[in-house]
């Protein structure tokens, strides 16, 4: 099921609700089983993201290096909550839980590319670049 869900998300940017019964039928599973998998994993989205996706790490090493204040400040400046997308559709903000970059915390992924030792200025630059691209 996971490769199918990944393929759907790669194609549509999300796993559409309409796909759940189709996946269930194809795999001879119940809709509840498929729904349970889709909602269990944070990486699956129910709606398409913005043009860029910023995943900020919220795990322990990044927390110890100020990630909570960093993400709270960014969300306040953008008027977003986790999984929210800016009004212009340029950026979606998602949480991540350890990116393997703990020694360079706080860390993030922008469209899958790692970013490390982040601060407010670096995040504001990311947002500005996302708005232009
Ligand atoms: S805790 Fe953030 S990268 Fe490991």
């Amino acid at each position: 099921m996971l490769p199918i869900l990944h393929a759907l998300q790669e194609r549509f940017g999300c796993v559409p609700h309409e796909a759940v019964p189709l996946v269930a039928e194809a795999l001879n599973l119940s809709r509840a089983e498929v729904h349970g998998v889709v909602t269990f994993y944070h990486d699956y989205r129910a709606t398409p993201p913005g043009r860029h996706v910023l995943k900020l790490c919220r795990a322990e090493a990044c927390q110890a290096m100020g990630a909570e204040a960093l993400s709270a400040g960014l969300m306040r400046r953008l008027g977003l909550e986790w999984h929210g997308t800016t009004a212009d559709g340029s950026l979606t903000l998602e949480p991540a839980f350890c990116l393997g970059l703990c020694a360079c915390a706080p860390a993030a992924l922008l469209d899958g590319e790692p970013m490390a030792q982040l601060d407010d200025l670096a995040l504001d630059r990311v947002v500005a670049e996302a708005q232009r691209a």
Side-chain angles (χ1 to χ4, degrees):
M1 183 190 317
L2 296 180
I4 293 171
L5 297 176
H6 280 298
L8 285 168
Q9 183 150 299
E10 190 172 315
R11 172 68 176 88
F12 300 108
C14 65
V15 178
H17 293 297
E18 299 80 11
V20 170
L22 301 174
V23 173
E25 185 179 333
L27 298 178
N28 197 26
L29 296 169
S30 71
R31 293 177 184 192
E33 288 171 306
V34 176
H35 176 77
V37 171
V38 171
T39 54
F40 177 80
Y41 292 104
H42 294 287
D43 277 349
Y44 294 126
R45 303 181 193 98
T47 57
R51 295 191 304 278
H52 302 280
V53 176
L54 179 63
K55 293 177 180 259
L56 285 175
C57 182
R58 302 186 70 193
E60 288 80 1
C62 287
Q63 280 183 32
M65 295 301 287
E68 286 302 307
L70 198 63
S71 58
L74 181 63
M75 290 193 289
R76 189 175 51 252
R77 293 193 298 282
L78 295 177
L80 292 180
E81 298 292 329
W82 291 114
H83 304 284
T85 299
T86 54
D88 65 0
S90 63
L91 190 75
T92 295
L93 184 62
E94 295 181 344
F97 298 92
C98 195
L99 302 168
L101 298 167
C102 311
C104 305
L109 293 177
L110 177 64
D111 299 331
E113 292 296 317
M115 306 176 66
Q117 296 180 323
L118 293 169
D119 58 17
D120 289 332
L121 187 61
L123 287 181
D124 287 344
R125 268 193 230 119
V126 167
V127 171
E129 287 175 23
Q131 289 170 333
R132 282 194 296 268

